[in-house]
Amino acid sequence: AHWVYRARHLHHTVFRDVVARRIGSYQPLGLLVSVALTMLDANGARQAIAARNRFDWKASTPSKLDNVIFVIGESARADHFSLNGYSRPTTPALLEVSNLISFSKVISLAPNTILSWPFLLTLKEPGDSALWPNTKSFISAFQEAGYSTRFVSFYMDQNYTVRDPLALIAFDAEAVIRGFTYTNQQRRSDLDMLPAIRSLVALKQPKLIVVATRGTHPGFEAACPM
């Protein structure tokens, strides 16, 4: 639950176990606790953003690849990919890609996207239960090294106004691009983002393209081709 992560960064057992969990479950006291946690979140966000602004990878490279494409496989387990040795043919097309790298040993340290992305994409360390990452993502490292950076999402674009840890990471890229429009979005699958991705690959410059997939989030069965 989010209150656990919001409260734990205070390192205060009484607040976590008594205020957030017990008193917070009763209304209208729960509303007051939620307001207090929101204010703490806002303070945590300000501190994290300030730390991020001071952060520098000091990244450089003498040579660059034309295309680096990093795909975030939402709601997917690496050990259920035939690419990584799973017995069922779950990734037959990926098996045919010769220069693909699968991070088969990477695991998430949190159960949902908003908490796991900072662990996967920044230097956030295991055991750090703060909601906001205080270092920039690896996207910034590529940018410092002279790459053009793009973030392709199934729901975010450059006009996205929500500021949460996910957007904080996505906007480390020079541009955030929605892979497809809201038109009949419930019937869209990750394959519908391919035209946007191909147009970026065609750009004549060294670049990093990070693709945030919809994956197998609930409701995927209505969108994925069968």
Side-chain angles (χ1 to χ4, degrees):
H2 280 201
W3 67 262
V4 175
Y5 286 85
R6 291 176 176 179
R8 279 182 58 194
H9 79 277
L10 297 176
H11 304 292
H12 197 307
T13 303
V14 173
F15 185 93
R16 181 177 71 245
D17 291 342
V18 178
V19 178
R21 178 184 295 176
R22 301 186 184 282
I23 297 178
S25 63
Y26 296 98
Q27 298 300 336
L29 293 176
L31 176 61
L32 298 176
V33 171
S34 294
V35 171
L37 291 176
T38 299
M39 294 175 65
L40 289 170
D41 269 356
N43 182 57
R46 285 192 296 270
Q47 293 182 24
I49 290 172
R52 281 169 54 86
N53 289 338
R54 296 190 298 269
F55 185 83
D56 187 352
W57 287 97
K58 296 181 174 60
S60 62
T61 180
S63 60
K64 300 179 181 66
L65 300 171
D66 290 336
N67 295 299
V68 178
I69 303 175
F70 187 91
V71 180
I72 304 171
E74 278 286 353
S75 301
R77 289 175 52 129
D79 61 354
H80 279 52
F81 284 12
S82 53
L83 177 70
N84 298 327
Y86 188 57
S87 58
R88 295 171 59 195
T90 53
T91 54
L94 292 178
L95 285 168
E96 298 177 2
V97 180
S98 60
N99 60 347
L100 182 142
I101 299 173
S102 174
F103 295 93
S104 59
K105 302 300 182 182
V106 174
I107 61 172
S108 171
L109 295 178
N112 56 13
T113 304
I114 198 169
L115 299 174
S116 62
W117 272 23
F119 286 115
L120 295 172
L121 306 178
T122 76
L123 292 179
K124 187 175 182 181
E125 297 182 352
D128 180 356
S129 55
L131 183 63
W132 298 86
N134 57 15
T135 69
K136 295 177 183 176
S137 71
F138 80 98
I139 300 171
S140 294
F142 272 81
Q143 195 156 305
E144 288 180 20
Y147 282 79
S148 174
T149 55
R150 301 289 188 272
F151 193 99
V152 182
S153 167
F154 68 93
Y155 72 99
M156 274 191 280
D157 63 14
Q158 204 65 27
N159 298 316
Y160 190 70
T161 57
V162 176
R163 286 298 177 261
D164 57 22
L166 304 184
L168 200 65
I169 290 172
F171 280 89
D172 278 343
E174 293 174 55
V176 177
I177 300 159
R178 185 184 295 126
F180 48 76
T181 65
Y182 282 121
T183 304
N184 197 22
Q185 182 169 330
Q186 293 303 314
R187 299 294 299 180
R188 299 280 187 158
S189 73
D190 291 326
L191 292 176
D192 293 305
M193 294 197 291
L194 285 176
I197 296 169
R198 286 172 177 148
S199 67
L200 294 174
V201 171
L203 297 175
K204 302 299 183 182
Q205 56 190 153
K207 52 195 164 296
L208 167 72
I209 303 169
V210 178
V211 181
T213 64
R214 185 176 187 174
T216 53
H217 274 115
F220 73 94
E221 64 277 4
C224 290
M226 301 300 288

